[in-house]
Amino acid sequence: MAAEQQQIESLPPDVLQDVDQQVFKDAYCVTNSEAAFLLMQYMSVNKERHGPAWQPPAVVKKTKDYVDKFAQTRNEENMKRLREELANKGLKDFELALISNLMPETADEAMALIPTLKERFTEEQLTPVIDEMALLRDFQ
């Protein structure tokens, strides 16, 4: 709870005044690949429930198109494995989502894109993480 409060308080003051802090209480970060999978499941369930003529709301369709475009893997097993590997390395939830979505090619790039990594990891500690991520990525 204290860590969540710290993240919320790190928002710029002009943004913080307009944010209901309870919105973030149980927030969970997902990767683009996970979001694509969740939206695919949502759409599939609704097609079964409402028939083949059912169409998702425009915002759902646009979001699905976006996350499909930037998803790093479409393989459910690789998605799970990537999350487990990154969580086991000690990455925070938001770092895990960011590093997975950005897919940096080097530890130095990861630390430049996600400054909190630089505070907690060395380049030598992050290099195997980056290498493992590359193995789990789908090459389209």
Side-chain angles (χ1 to χ4, degrees):
M1 176 84 160
E4 292 167 350
Q5 187 66 27
Q6 182 182 7
Q7 286 177 350
I8 293 169
E9 289 173 357
S10 67
L11 292 170
D14 59 323
V15 173
L16 188 57
Q17 68 188 9
D18 296 330
V19 174
D20 176 4
Q21 295 188 17
Q22 292 302 311
V23 170
F24 297 105
K25 184 177 178 226
D26 296 318
Y28 183 73
C29 297
V30 295
T31 67
N32 288 332
S33 298
E34 292 167 333
F37 181 77
L38 291 170
L39 289 171
M40 180 186 68
Q41 294 294 334
Y42 165 80
M43 292 166 73
S44 177
V45 165
N46 277 291
K47 278 213 188 264
E48 287 176 22
R49 214 177 265 162
H50 303 289
W54 178 84
Q55 290 297 312
V59 69
V60 172
K61 177 75 172 107
K62 287 179 183 181
T63 302
K64 174 83 167 75
D65 291 345
Y66 176 87
V67 293
D68 278 343
K69 183 176 182 178
F70 294 104
Q72 300 300 334
T73 184
R74 283 158 183 67
N75 179 305
E76 185 179 357
E77 186 60 38
N78 282 355
M79 262 186 273
K80 289 178 183 177
R81 196 163 148 218
L82 181 60
R83 178 166 284 279
E84 288 171 8
E85 290 289 329
L86 295 176
N88 288 339
K89 301 295 184 191
L91 273 74
K92 295 179 180 177
D93 196 38
F94 75 94
E95 293 169 332
L96 185 151
L98 283 170
I99 201 168
S100 180
N101 289 341
L102 296 170
M103 284 302 243
E105 294 182 8
T106 66
D108 188 48
E109 182 182 3
M111 290 188 288
L113 293 169
I114 309 166
T116 57
L117 295 177
K118 188 181 261 186
E119 298 167 5
R120 297 183 16 252
F121 297 95
T122 65
E123 199 169 320
E124 292 76 25
Q125 292 171 315
L126 280 179
T127 297
V129 173
I130 303 298
D131 294 343
E132 181 68 23
M133 285 174 37
L135 295 174
L136 296 173
R137 181 180 185 179
D138 291 347
F139 293 97
Q140 293 97 15

